[in-house]
Amino acid sequence: MSLCASGKKTLFEDVNIKFTEGNCYGMIGANGAGKYYFFKVFCSGQIEPTKGEVNITPGERLSFLQQDHYKYDEYLVLDTVIMGNARLYEIMKEKEVIYAKEDFTDEDGIKASELEAEFATMNGWEAESDAATLLNGLGIETDLHYKYMKDLKGAEKVKVLLAQALFGNPDILLLDEPTNHLDLDAIAWLEEFLINFENTVIVVSHDRYFLNKVCTQIADIDYGKIQLYAGNYDFW
């Protein structure tokens, strides 16, 4: 993969790297080295590589920490977290529409049955309790779960968006400066969550203590290359 910034400076040239399940990768590099652009390549293809491609195993779900703190202002806190699994949230809303119909048809019944089956396979019945557990762990008290995002303080919004990224056991989790605006209790909870997380994590952070605590590999960005090293930040 090769990547240029705004069609000018080449940030990466002939990068061939594989991130594997069960590892937490700490991405480090000097300011301007390309960490931001590398993340954007992964984050739902927000930036396309100049050459090459990013391959994700079909069926795997990628989740990332949203940086727009106002994007979900018109949604309830609990719904915002569940939206971390877009398909599950879509099913929930489709079901609500069908069951709200006054003229419920046979076709509606078939569709509802199909949605219920998919909903069950995605552990949909535990969605609200799972979202609440994440929120409580990060310090968002239960009385805030049914408030609108616009009614929350800035630091509270950050915690909700972090819970959204963690929701539903994603196969690949991308976290850009996840400890920003978190209190010590929330950071400790996040560290424990990531240590026990069994899928793939890629994290950018200036918090060296955090990287030492959670990372099993370090991805060093330097001179247009990315080199993987086993171990945490101190070991690197």
Side-chain angles (χ1 to χ4, degrees), residues 207-218:
D207 185 340
R208 295 182 180 182
Y209 179 85
F210 179 74
L211 293 177
N212 276 330
K213 192 80 172 179
V214 304
C215 291
T216 60
Q217 302 262 336
I218 294 296

Side-chain angles (χ1 to χ4, degrees), residues 36 39-40 43-44 46 61-72 80-81 83-86 149 154 156-166 173-178 180-181:
Y36 168 81
F39 250 55
K40 289 295 183 182
C43 291
S44 304
Q46 293 178 21
R61 187 168 68 86
L62 181 148
S63 182
F64 59 94
L65 177 57
Q66 296 278 355
Q67 300 299 318
D68 183 352
H69 297 170
Y70 304 99
K71 183 176 181 178
Y72 301 94
T80 300
V81 176
M83 289 168 76
N85 187 333
M149 286 287 285
E156 292 170 338
K157 285 185 176 182
V158 171
K159 291 181 177 181
V160 176
L161 294 177
L162 181 54
Q164 180 193 76
L166 304 178
L173 177 60
L174 306 179
L175 299 176
D176 186 2
E177 299 292 353
N180 281 2
H181 309 293

Side-chain angles (χ1 to χ4, degrees), residues 28-231:
I28 63 172
N31 289 336
K35 298 188 296 294
Y36 168 81
Y37 284 95
F38 190 82
F39 250 55
K40 289 295 183 182
V41 168
F42 272 92
C43 291
S44 304
Q46 293 178 21
I47 295 178
E48 292 290 334
T50 312
K51 184 171 63 177
E53 58 186 358
V54 176
N55 293 314
I56 296 176
T57 302
E60 287 194 346
R61 187 168 68 86
L62 181 148
S63 182
F64 59 94
L65 177 57
Q66 296 278 355
Q67 300 299 318
D68 183 352
H69 297 170
Y70 304 99
K71 183 176 181 178
Y72 301 94
D73 272 1
E74 301 306 318
Y75 293 93
L76 296 175
V77 167
L78 205 63
D79 280 355
T80 300
V81 176
I82 296 173
M83 289 168 76
N85 187 333
R87 178 54 186 161
L88 178 60
Y89 184 75
E90 180 184 356
I91 292 172
M92 292 174 65
K93 294 304 163 184
E94 283 188 56
K95 285 170 52 183
E96 287 179 10
V97 170
I98 291 176
Y99 290 136
K101 286 186 174 183
E102 293 183 2
D103 52 341
F104 194 85
T105 65
D106 290 342
E107 288 77 11
D108 290 329
I110 294 170
K111 180 63 176 178
S113 178
E114 293 172 348
L115 290 173
E116 291 289 5
E118 187 176 357
F119 187 70
T121 62
M122 300 177 76
N123 296 321
W125 297 112
E126 289 80 43
E128 290 195 4
S129 62
D130 288 347
T133 297
L134 292 171
L135 289 167
N136 290 333
L138 288 165
I140 301 297
E141 301 297 333
T142 304
D143 60 347
L144 295 178
H145 294 186
Y146 290 94
K147 289 186 176 295
Y148 283 92
M149 286 287 285
K150 63 185 177 184
D151 297 325
L152 270 57
K153 300 174 183 176
E156 292 170 338
K157 285 185 176 182
V158 171
K159 291 181 177 181
V160 176
L161 294 177
L162 181 54
Q164 180 193 76
L166 304 178
F167 177 77
N169 195 38
D171 299 288
I172 303 167
L173 177 60
L174 306 179
L175 299 176
D176 186 2
E177 299 292 353
T179 60
N180 281 2
H181 309 293
L182 294 188
D183 53 77
L184 292 177
D185 287 342
I187 292 174
W189 182 91
L190 177 61
E191 288 171 350
E192 196 64 25
F193 181 94
L194 294 178
I195 288 169
N196 293 305
F197 190 71
E198 296 180 350
N199 296 331
T200 305
V201 184
I202 306 174
V203 59
V204 169
S205 177
H206 286 91
D207 185 340
R208 295 182 180 182
Y209 179 85
F210 179 74
L211 293 177
N212 276 330
K213 192 80 172 179
V214 304
C215 291
T216 60
Q217 302 262 336
I218 294 296
D220 181 26
I221 299 178
D222 197 20
Y223 298 107
K225 303 295 182 182
I226 303 177
Q227 182 68 44
L228 289 182
Y229 298 90

